[in-house]
């Protein structure tokens, strides 16, 4: 990820920075959701890849956890982990655990 919040994939061993061939199902980053944090003016803090390599999750400075499909670069799920979500849940008496989940836009 860069300082603007754009996530990048590349195969450095192949030719110094192109998309990994045969591993992803997109040709252009504009076909993905890898710009979603930059659009929301946030930056990634940490990235974790699932053991099977199919999904990866990114935590970001805006207190969101975004889960992506590795092959497509599409956002699968987004969780709002801001303190205000938990405070609102406590006030409403809804209880439960975890932040507010939402499906991706578009």
């Amino acid at each position: 990820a860069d300082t603007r919040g754009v996530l990048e994939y590349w195969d450095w061993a192949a030719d110094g920075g192109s998309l990994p061939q045969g591993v992803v199902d997109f040709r252009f980053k504009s076909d993905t959701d890898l710009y979603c944090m930059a659009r929301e003016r946030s930056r990634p803090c940490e990235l974790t890849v699932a053991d099977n390599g199919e999904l990866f999750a990114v935590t970001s400075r805006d207190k969101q956890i975004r889960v992506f499909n590795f092959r497509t670069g599409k956002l699968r799920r987004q969780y709002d982990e801001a303190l205000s979500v938990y405070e609102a849940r406590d006030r409403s008496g809804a209880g439960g655990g975890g932040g507010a989940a939402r499906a991706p836009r578009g």
Side-chain angles (χ1 to χ4, degrees), residues 21-40:
Q21 298 300 312
V23 177
V24 297
D25 293 338
F26 59 90
R27 290 186 39 181
F28 305 103
K29 284 189 298 187
S30 58
D31 296 332
T32 72
D33 294 324
L34 299 176
Y35 289 106
C36 71
M37 281 178 281
R39 259 193 322 271
E40 296 179 24

Side-chain angles (χ1 to χ4, degrees), residues 75-91:
L75 186 63
R76 295 273 313 267
R77 192 69 132 170
Q78 185 168 332
Y79 299 90
D80 187 346
E81 293 291 318
L83 181 58
S84 59
V85 171
Y86 292 96
E87 291 172 337
R89 186 170 285 165
D90 285 345
R91 281 192 301 275

